[in-house]
Amino acid sequence: MIDFHTHTPTWRTTSWLGGVTFGADEFVAFMDSAGIDQAVVLSHDGLFDATPETNDDLAAFVGQYPYRLAGFGTVHPRRADAPEEVDRMLNGLGLRGLKLHPWLQGFSMHEPALDPICDVLAQSGGILLSHDGTPPYSTGGQIAALARRHPSLPVVLGHAGLHDTWRESLALTIETPNLYICICGTPPYAAREILSRAPSHKVLFGTDAGLSDRKSQDYAVARVAEIDGWGITDAQRRAMLVDNPRALLAGR
């Protein structure tokens, strides 16, 4: 199983996983307990302070388990050096993609400053994952518009629209060739509908582990176990948990 949406702190600082501070060893042990073989680890501290140092720390964290962890750093799009930092993240630090959170980082997905950033991502074989499902700042339509301007860049809707906008996220995934949808925090009834209607090669899954102050291990295990109640086929399950994320990461 490949979990396409997890979080971790910069490795020099402390955060919480099940009520205790954790490093890469503890994070991988938690993955083992949840049946997760690989995880996409998204920058968390960097969303609040998008500096090169936060990307350095994330690279050091995932670099301890390069076959288990794939890091997605971040930048603030309005900073003049953002395209250069994206290039450094991917080609210097070995990170695999870029995480953006328009709501927390305080920008619009329609801002022209995103275009040179996406150009660098596409040229370097990177992936863009954006928070979605939080109107009016992070909607599927806003993210899909950016994806359509950069058709060679894989763009992932990080939460499949959550509870309120999943129908929009699903419709846009169907009609936008380079848009992918990650079921993460999405209610079960929406997950079933997404899996029944979305292109089978474009659905991913994430637990959001490492972010909440609740016991993230218990939460992740519950999310994985919940899949069995969605009434999906073995082929759908394998595509979502193994084949699709593996193919997307292999593009880097």
Side-chain angles (χ1 to χ4, degrees):
M1 171 186 171
I2 301 174
D3 187 336
F4 217 86
H5 196 137
T6 73
H7 299 266
T8 195
T10 54
W11 76 293
R12 294 195 205 104
T13 63
T14 58
S15 187
W16 296 91
L17 180 67
V20 295
T21 57
F22 70 97
D25 292 341
E26 291 82 5
F27 193 72
V28 169
F30 135 73
M31 288 168 55
D32 291 339
S33 72
I36 299 168
D37 300 299
Q38 293 177 273
V40 170
V41 182
L42 308 174
S43 177
H44 178 47
D45 290 0
L47 297 178
F48 302 95
D49 183 23
T51 65
E53 289 75 19
T54 60
N55 292 323
D56 292 339
D57 290 341
L58 177 63
F61 187 96
V62 299
Q64 295 177 67
Y65 289 90
Y67 298 104
R68 303 289 304 274
L69 307 175
F72 280 36
T74 195
V75 296
H76 197 290
R78 293 180 185 169
R79 294 186 177 175
D81 63 349
E84 290 75 16
E85 177 60 12
V86 170
D87 178 75
R88 189 184 76 92
M89 281 165 37
L90 272 67
N91 297 310
L93 298 179
L95 297 178
R96 308 293 291 277
L98 175 69
K99 163 68 183 291
L100 293 176
H101 201 308
W103 172 37
L104 290 180
Q105 292 180 300
F107 67 89
S108 167
M109 292 300 288
H110 297 309
E111 294 186 22
L114 284 164
D115 289 321
I117 292 170
C118 289
D119 288 340
V120 172
L121 268 175
Q123 291 164 8
S124 299
I127 301 165
L128 171 61
L129 186 148
S130 178
H131 175 89
D132 76 315
T134 311
Y137 305 100
S138 305
T139 68
Q142 294 164 344
I143 299 162
L146 180 66
R148 288 193 290 270
R149 295 204 304 272
H150 300 274
S152 64
L153 174 66
V155 178
V156 179
L157 299 173
H159 286 288
L162 292 172
H163 286 257
D164 297 322
T165 66
W166 65 267
R167 293 175 180 84
E168 175 188 355
S169 292
L170 170 60
L172 289 159
T173 300
I174 293 171
E175 67 183 40
T176 309
N178 59 320
L179 193 66
Y180 296 77
I181 190 164
C182 183
I183 296 174
C184 179
T186 319
Y189 65 89
R192 286 192 293 269
E193 185 73 7
I194 290 167
L195 280 157
S196 70
R197 294 182 53 201
S200 60
H201 68 288
K202 297 175 74 175
V203 182
L204 309 165
F205 175 79
T207 63
D208 224 4
L211 178 63
S212 174
D213 60 0
R214 64 181 294 178
K215 288 187 177 180
S216 294
Q217 176 177 327
D218 293 345
Y219 175 74
V221 171
R223 283 293 289 174
V224 173
E226 182 184 278
I227 297 171
D228 292 333
W230 292 354
I232 62 176
T233 66
D234 289 341
Q236 288 174 319
R237 182 186 178 101
R238 178 174 175 84
M240 176 177 66
L241 298 181
V242 181
D243 296 339
N244 297 345
R246 179 179 292 165
L248 197 56
L249 289 171
R252 167 61 178 154

